Amino acid sequence: MSSSKEVIYRKDYQEPNYVVKSVDLAFVVEAESTLVTARIQFEVNPKQDKNELFLNGVDLELVSIELNQQQLNANKYDLNERGLSLHDLPDAFELKTVVKIYPSQNTALEGLYQSGNFFLTQCEAEGFRKITFYPDRPDVLAKFTVTIVADKEKYPVLLSNGNKISSGDLNDGRHYCKWLDPHPKPSYLFALVAGDLDYIEDHFITKNNNKVQLRIYTESKNIDACDFAMQSLINSMQWDEERFNLVYDLDEYNIVATDDFNMGAMENKGLNIFNSKYVLAKPETATDQDFINIEAVIGHEYFHNWTGNRVTCKDWFQLSLKEGLTVFRDQEFTADLQSRSVKRIEDVRYLRSAQFAEDASPMSHSVRPDSFIEINNFYTLTVYEKGSEVVRMYHTLLGEEGFQKGMQLYFKRHDGSAVSCNDFRLAMADANSVDLTQFELWYSQNGTPQVYIRENYDAGKKAYSIDFMQAAPDNYKGDVAWQPMHVPVKLALYDNEGNPLPLNDAGDLQLTYELKEISQTLTVNGVEHQPIASLFQGFSAPIKLHRQIGHKELAFLMKHDTDSFNRWDATQEMQSQIIIGKYQALLDNKNYNCPKYFIESFRHILLDDGIDSALIAEAITLPSVKSLTLKLAKVDVLKLFDAKEWLIKEIAYQLEVELLSVYNQNYDSSDYRVNSEQVAKRSLKNRCLSFLLQSNKKEFAGLAKDQFIHAGNYTDKMTALSLLTHQQVDGFEDLLGAYFTEWQDNPLVINKWLSIQATIPASDTLIRVKQLMELPVFSMKNPNAVRSLIGAFCGANITQFHAEDSSGYQFLADQIIELDRINPQIAARLAGLFNDYHQYNDEIQHRMNEQIKRIHTTDGLSPNVFEIIDRAVGSIN
Ligand code: TRP
Ligand code: ZN
């Protein structure tokens, strides 16, 4: 393992010395090792005009090297653990290398590795250098031809990018397949799969009348669980043609599912590789959320074909160019196919609890970072989710038509090349003849901007005004002083009966007001009485809003706001106020009673037939402890947890009858389908059940048991099992045991079983987790298992991870250190769970910091874990 901790800076970007005209790769795949022959045609880049070249190469056994068909003398190149330097090169030449690699020993799951009994690759971001010597950077694009040779019986399926151009049998029981990808691409989009896999097949006819063959490959035991993914792929192709006018550009599209994968999925050209969690689903074994996630991830990877592959990134600092944009596109896809309001609420809920936390942490970075040690650490919520919010703001400012004009210009200018976030911004600006210079700050300034507002109604002048003041995030880290951003504020005003008021002379009832200054005032004239404002509708900018707002105004907005997002947001704000009120009281040892108005408004929402069940379900889901933590400082997290639990119990006691009746009304025994109506009913019903179980009454435990036994679908079954387990209702161990016996051969199902147990809020859970780690269904080598057990315990079991004896912190540190030797990427993800230490009170911080420092002083850390932990240590005061 390389021990280099070199920092890479965006400002040091240099064009490549040589470009690649074409690459021809040949793989001879065998059980123990694989031989890779690369023939690469290089041509000097006239802009650089240098006759030397560095090729990345890591963990490669060099067998031979030839330049223009001549064996290359050892004094003509330098080889170290990072790669190969060549000197005195001609302007054009062919390099041929043969290397040997050992995929079955590769536990980092980067490069070529083994999963079950097949081989596959993961090259983004810098995995190709573990396959062959190559300029492994995203701005070197080339046409790839790939030949794979392997034993026909053991490895009947041989896949790579592009279209298959030939195949056949060799003597000695081997066969070969040859693939050509006509679209020039960077090495990170290369993929190869070899093994014994089954597939399902369908096709899609593009609007250019090209028939595309679609296949999904899995191990044969899973072949009956791919149909939903296939339909999702077809939906994605259809949607991208309709909404973005983007058409697929090869004759085949292949997806391969694997149980061993570091992330969600990978958009390799024509050959996507997926974590099986985002492909496999049957009604008996997948929840509603699983189905919805599959559709979204299949969409995401498909949409990358244009936003990522046809137009790619100049360097890895531009990652959000493809990821922010593609997340925006997948969010819109889900919004168009499912419920737009629910999708927006869920995305913002996630952003505010997880991305805002990252923004406030030692890992805080801008959407386009300026430096990194390990790029894999920057596949973050900031790059993905905040990046998507940044793209959404163009859409808000320019409208759908203007945004699509920008997209067209972007493709017209940059198809087939590697570009930057700036190029995207300029395409949006130029296509619409607007100035988006200030908008650049969304890419360069880290942290969550804050907006303070002051409202003023002048009854005499009948004028209502809002002063907006922008402020820097607390942890802004830029070299130059923070500057105010270009912030779109979508807003409306209502009179006291809930009628929208005209906002200007044109009579607009809703408008997008653009903040550009540190402080700016919007005045609306002709307002007869004190109005109520709905601000940042649809969460029109990823900022933290500081607004003094009372419960009457919140109740008003819950009722009258035409913006469904802000109606929901008002419910969350009221709930936060109550939980924080209780929390303060717990800290001060004072009494705090749940206000009557709160219960009344909660009852009103719960029983409102005028609102969609899905939105009721969202409205009665209380804010996460994480998002509440971010509103406070020096948090006693166990007390905050107690405050939230107290509110859940208050609601359960006071609204028992209502919750039960909504539960019963939404019990649906019709045939299971994943449509928005059924999904909404199930989610509302199950949220009611979770409140009811908190009242600790036997009859409700019985209700959950009935649901577990009689459920006709997996969502209901899993919810019931999880609630019974978390409440440790009599007999829950037997239910878990029976579940295990039934599903032990299905890793996806077992991972849920692990997570349920990892999140039991009881003092013996850590012991249980350690016992579960001993079972054969758990392996440190499998990222999904690690996330489901260790990740769930440390990330989602607040009371036990934060146990006062520090056992949770010690456990996490131990696991990070051990896992780092197996899979540094996943170890670094776990290390990120320490990043919120600074949100807590001194005593908690002290105990977390002990463990952070212990990891920091461990020898031989990977650059991945080192970077995360070093940043954390660096910000300990
Ligand atoms: N580009 C992939 C996506 O977002 C994600 C990705 C990056 C990835 N690096 C990875 C996936 C490593 C798996 C393993 O669609
Ligand atoms: Zn992506």
Side-chain angles (χ1 to χ4, degrees):
M1 193 176 302
S2 125
S3 60
S4 74
K5 317 259 153 103
E6 192 197 338
V7 181
I8 319 281
Y9 294 93
R10 183 168 64 85
K11 63 173 167 47
D12 292 344
Y13 174 81
Q14 296 250 338
E15 280 198 25
N17 290 355
Y18 280 78
V19 298
V20 175
K21 299 315 272 184
S22 66
V23 200
D24 198 315
L25 299 173
F27 291 81
V28 180
V29 176
E30 278 166 9
E32 254 79 272
S33 67
T34 289
L35 212 56
V36 186
T37 304
R39 282 198 297 125
I40 313 171
Q41 314 296 328
F42 285 101
E43 218 174 87
V44 76
N45 175 1
K47 286 198 208 143
Q48 291 290 64
D49 196 24
K50 298 211 178 95
N51 57 3
E52 58 192 35
L53 174 63
F54 179 73
L55 300 177
N56 304 96
V58 172
D59 298 339
L60 305 174
E61 217 173 276
L62 183 60
V63 177
S64 69
I65 177 164
E66 286 174 24
L67 198 129
N68 289 336
Q69 281 90 43
Q70 299 284 312
Q71 190 182 329
L72 196 61
N73 233 315
N75 61 7
K76 290 280 194 178
Y77 62 90
D78 294 319
L79 189 60
N80 65 24
E81 77 274 10
R82 299 157 37 97
L84 186 67
S85 304
L86 301 166
H87 329 282
D88 305 325
L89 293 166
D91 283 356
F93 64 94
E94 178 188 274
L95 184 77
K96 180 178 169 193
T97 59
V98 179
V99 302
K100 201 169 177 187
I101 52 180
Y102 297 87
S104 47
Q105 292 168 29
N106 177 355
T107 59
L109 313 190
E110 186 188 48
L112 181 62
Y113 66 95
Q114 185 172 3
S115 170
N117 53 17
F118 68 101
F119 292 104
L120 72 161
T121 56
Q122 171 55 41
C123 292
E124 189 176 5
E126 299 181 333
F128 193 71
R129 61 191 62 183
K130 294 180 160 184
I131 295 175
T132 195
F133 289 104
Y134 198 76
D136 190 13
R137 43 187 287 170
D139 60 345
V140 173
L141 276 65
K143 271 188 195 159
F144 280 66
T145 308
V146 178
T147 309
I148 313 165
V149 175
D151 183 88
K152 190 171 182 177
E153 211 177 286
K154 278 170 79 182
Y155 311 106
V157 172
L158 303 175
L159 306 174
S160 191
N161 315 88
N163 300 315
K164 192 202 272 192
I165 51 172
S166 66
S167 62
D169 292 342
L170 303 169
N171 38 27
D172 67 15
R174 296 190 303 174
H175 70 144
Y176 78 94
C177 275
K178 190 166 179 178
W179 293 81
L180 171 69
D181 181 359
H183 302 282
K185 65 168 176 292
S187 51
Y188 83 87
L189 291 172
F190 166 82
L192 174 151
V193 172
D196 186 2
L197 299 168
D198 266 1
Y199 64 83
I200 64 163
E201 181 172 317
D202 209 322
H203 67 269
F204 181 79
I205 298 178
T206 67
K207 67 179 185 189
N208 305 339
N209 251 317
N210 187 30
K211 184 167 172 180
V212 184
Q213 171 193 292
L214 312 175
R215 286 186 180 175
I216 298 180
Y217 288 83
T218 66
E219 289 163 280
S220 59
K221 59 176 188 211
N222 295 324
I223 200 67
D224 61 343
C226 299
D227 297 341
F228 185 86
M230 180 62 89
Q231 188 55 50
S232 300
L233 175 59
I234 293 169
N235 294 345
S236 307
M237 297 178 90
Q238 187 73 37
W239 181 87
D240 216 13
E241 289 193 353
E242 286 169 6
R243 177 96 185 255
F244 279 78
N245 196 26
L246 294 172
V247 182
Y248 189 60
D249 55 5
L250 287 166
D251 304 327
E252 39 184 306
Y253 195 93
N254 293 309
I255 288 176
V256 175
T258 171
D259 289 338
D260 301 286
F261 208 60
N262 282 346
M263 303 231 236
M266 181 61 213
E267 70 263 24
N268 317 298
K269 185 81 189 190
L271 177 53
N272 289 180
I273 297 180
F274 272 65
N275 188 324
S276 52
K277 185 175 158 53
Y278 296 114
V279 175
L280 306 178
K282 289 191 288 187
E284 311 88 85
T285 51
T287 63
D288 292 341
Q289 195 57 52
D290 291 329
F291 282 105
I292 291 167
N293 291 344
I294 288 170
E295 187 176 71
V297 179
I298 295 263
H300 180 96
E301 305 312 329
Y302 177 74
F303 304 143
H304 267 314
N305 189 56
W306 279 93
T307 51
N309 301 4
R310 289 289 290 247
V311 182
T312 193
C313 302
K314 188 186 86 164
D315 59 37
W316 288 119
F317 298 104
Q318 316 299 327
L319 181 59
S320 196
L321 172 76
K322 74 177 177 77
E323 293 305 344
L325 176 55
T326 305
V327 171
F328 171 76
R329 276 153 51 67
D330 86 53
Q331 289 176 347
E332 284 297 294
F333 170 59
T334 302
D336 284 344
L337 268 66
Q338 309 291 333
S339 155
R340 179 164 288 273
S341 319
V342 169
K343 177 65 177 159
R344 189 68 189 135
I345 288 167
E346 288 179 348
D347 288 340
V348 176
R349 198 200 288 280
Y350 184 48
L351 187 88
R352 276 185 181 157
S353 60
Q355 195 279 325
F356 278 22
E358 181 171 276
D359 247 351
S361 81
M363 261 303 281
S364 177
H365 56 276
S366 51
V367 166
R368 182 195 57 209
D370 291 314
S371 68
F372 59 73
I373 292 178
E374 170 54 62
I375 183 58
N376 281 306
N377 287 333
F378 286 81
Y379 285 75
T380 59
L381 294 154
T382 301
V383 165
Y384 277 66
E385 310 302 319
K386 185 176 180 180
S388 164
E389 294 300 321
V390 170
V391 173
R392 187 172 294 281
M393 286 189 285
Y394 291 110
H395 191 273
T396 303
L397 291 166
L398 304 171
E400 169 73 5
E401 206 182 313
F403 183 82
Q404 293 297 349
K405 271 206 247 166
M407 291 300 296
Q408 274 162 31
L409 185 59
Y410 175 66
F411 290 121
K412 193 171 155 212
R413 285 180 176 173
H414 305 299
D415 186 15
S417 54
V419 302
S420 66
C421 298
N422 245 338
D423 294 314
F424 184 79
R425 182 173 58 79
L426 291 175
M428 284 290 154
D430 295 349
N432 291 281
S433 309
V434 293
D435 181 1
L436 291 172
T437 310
Q438 189 182 3
F439 199 83
E440 149 91 357
L441 296 168
W442 283 109
Y443 294 98
S444 61
Q445 297 191 139
N446 76 290
T448 311
Q450 317 198 53
V451 177
Y452 289 82
I453 65 145
R454 207 169 38 217
E455 300 172 70
N456 206 329
Y457 178 64
D458 185 331
K461 291 191 181 141
K462 301 203 183 303
Y464 167 79
S465 64
I466 315 177
D467 300 328
F468 291 91
M469 280 146 293
Q470 295 196 45
D474 304 332
N475 62 339
Y476 173 65
K477 306 199 264 207
D479 297 332
V480 292
W482 188 84
Q483 295 166 62
M485 319 272 267
H486 182 175
V487 182
V489 190
K490 245 178 149 172
L491 57 88
L493 273 191
Y494 300 101
D495 70 15
N496 52 21
E497 274 151 30
N499 304 305
L501 295 169
L503 298 164
N504 50 23
D505 295 344
D508 289 325
L509 299 176
Q510 192 189 39
L511 62 83
T512 301
Y513 180 68
E514 297 182 28
L515 299 185
K516 293 187 169 177
E517 314 290 330
I518 272 281
S519 125
Q520 221 169 302
T521 302
L522 167 72
T523 303
V524 181
N525 293 309
V527 180
E528 296 295 332
H529 302 281
Q530 171 82 47
I532 292 181
S534 166
L535 302 175
F536 291 97
Q537 292 190 324
F539 196 65
S540 61
I543 55 100
K544 226 179 240 177
L545 177 63
H546 298 268
R547 178 185 191 182
Q548 298 301 337
I549 187 163
H551 69 84
K552 293 211 175 81
E553 290 75 22
L554 290 171
F556 176 93
L557 289 172
M558 282 177 211
K559 207 164 167 182
H560 297 294
D561 203 330
T562 52
D563 181 63
S564 60
F565 175 83
N566 271 7
R567 282 202 307 274
W568 168 80
D569 206 23
T571 67
Q572 300 295 293
E573 175 60 27
M574 191 186 279
Q575 292 160 10
S576 298
Q577 290 182 3
I578 307 295
I579 297 170
I580 290 172
K582 176 69 178 182
Y583 168 70
Q584 296 295 355
L586 287 174
L587 288 179
D588 303 343
N589 252 314
K590 288 195 181 128
N591 269 337
Y592 184 88
N593 294 320
C594 188
K596 230 177 141 179
Y597 69 75
F598 176 77
I599 296 295
E600 283 320 308
S601 103
F602 204 91
R603 184 201 320 272
H604 186 85
I605 292 164
L606 187 60
L607 301 178
D608 193 339
D609 323 315
I611 332 178
D612 179 24
S613 321
L615 291 176
I616 300 179
E618 295 294 347
I620 67 170
T621 302
L622 307 187
S624 67
V625 171
K626 231 198 167 99
S627 68
L628 294 164
T629 301
L630 288 166
K631 292 178 181 261
L632 301 161
K634 305 243 168 195
V635 172
D636 180 334
V637 63
L638 296 178
K639 286 217 161 65
L640 186 57
F641 179 89
D642 288 345
K644 180 174 168 181
E645 289 297 288
W646 161 85
L647 184 58
I648 294 170
K649 287 203 158 60
E650 282 293 315
I651 293 166
Y653 289 131
Q654 298 201 39
L655 297 173
E656 185 180 297
V657 176
E658 291 84 349
L659 288 162
L660 186 58
S661 111
V662 175
Y663 176 86
N664 287 325
Q665 275 164 32
N666 287 278
Y667 206 103
D668 184 350
S669 44
S670 55
D671 283 351
Y672 180 75
R673 303 239 342 252
V674 190
N675 57 35
S676 20
E677 196 194 333
Q678 278 199 15
V679 171
K681 282 187 141 188
R682 278 189 288 275
S683 85
L684 179 53
K685 175 194 67 177
N686 286 329
R687 285 179 210 206
C688 290
L689 185 64
S690 81
F691 278 109
L692 289 168
L693 252 93
Q694 292 281 340
S695 71
N696 289 333
K697 282 201 186 160
K698 275 231 166 63
E699 58 181 291
F700 298 130
L703 197 65
K705 275 189 189 159
D706 282 350
Q707 177 168 320
F708 179 75
I709 294 162
H710 300 297
N713 64 81
Y714 190 68
T715 302
D716 285 351
K717 219 179 174 67
M718 279 302 297
T719 306
L721 180 62
S722 161
L723 293 172
L724 291 163
T725 302
H726 289 173
Q727 293 296 315
Q728 304 195 67
V729 169
D730 274 353
F732 81 96
E733 296 281 9
D734 297 339
L735 298 179
L736 288 171
Y739 184 98
F740 179 77
T741 310
E742 188 175 354
W743 295 111
Q744 53 186 311
D745 295 328
N746 184 326
L748 293 177
V749 177
I750 288 301
N751 287 341
K752 292 206 169 76
W753 179 82
L754 295 172
S755 290
I756 289 179
Q757 297 181 74
T759 48
I760 301 173
S763 57
D764 60 354
T765 298
L766 182 54
I767 297 170
R768 180 190 291 270
V769 168
K770 289 177 178 169
Q771 284 165 353
L772 291 168
M773 286 174 71
E774 299 300 317
L775 294 181
V777 292
F778 177 85
S779 163
M780 278 298 237
K781 290 188 179 153
N782 181 270
N784 286 357
V786 169
R787 282 184 279 257
S788 301
L789 190 56
I790 302 171
F793 177 80
C794 301
N797 192 337
I798 292 171
T799 62
Q800 301 316 301
F801 176 60
H802 291 288
E804 280 161 345
D805 63 2
S806 299
S807 53
Y809 309 148
Q810 275 163 26
F811 172 73
L812 178 56
D814 290 342
Q815 302 317 312
I816 291 166
I817 292 166
E818 187 187 333
L819 187 58
D820 198 30
R821 293 184 215 121
I822 300 170
N823 187 330
Q825 281 186 38
I826 302 300
R829 294 282 155 170
L830 285 186
L833 294 171
F834 276 123
N835 263 336
D836 56 4
Y837 71 87
H838 58 97
Q839 303 282 349
Y840 304 122
N841 67 25
D842 292 345
E843 190 267 330
I844 298 176
Q845 285 199 29
H846 175 75
R847 289 188 288 111
M848 291 180 88
N849 290 342
E850 276 177 356
Q851 299 303 321
I852 294 170
K853 289 178 190 156
R854 176 160 74 91
I855 302 169
H856 198 236
T857 54
T858 302
D859 285 336
L861 288 183
S862 67
N864 309 56
V865 167
F866 173 79
E867 181 172 36
I868 304 286
I869 293 295
D870 192 53
R871 278 190 178 231
V873 168
S875 62
I876 292 173
N877 42 38

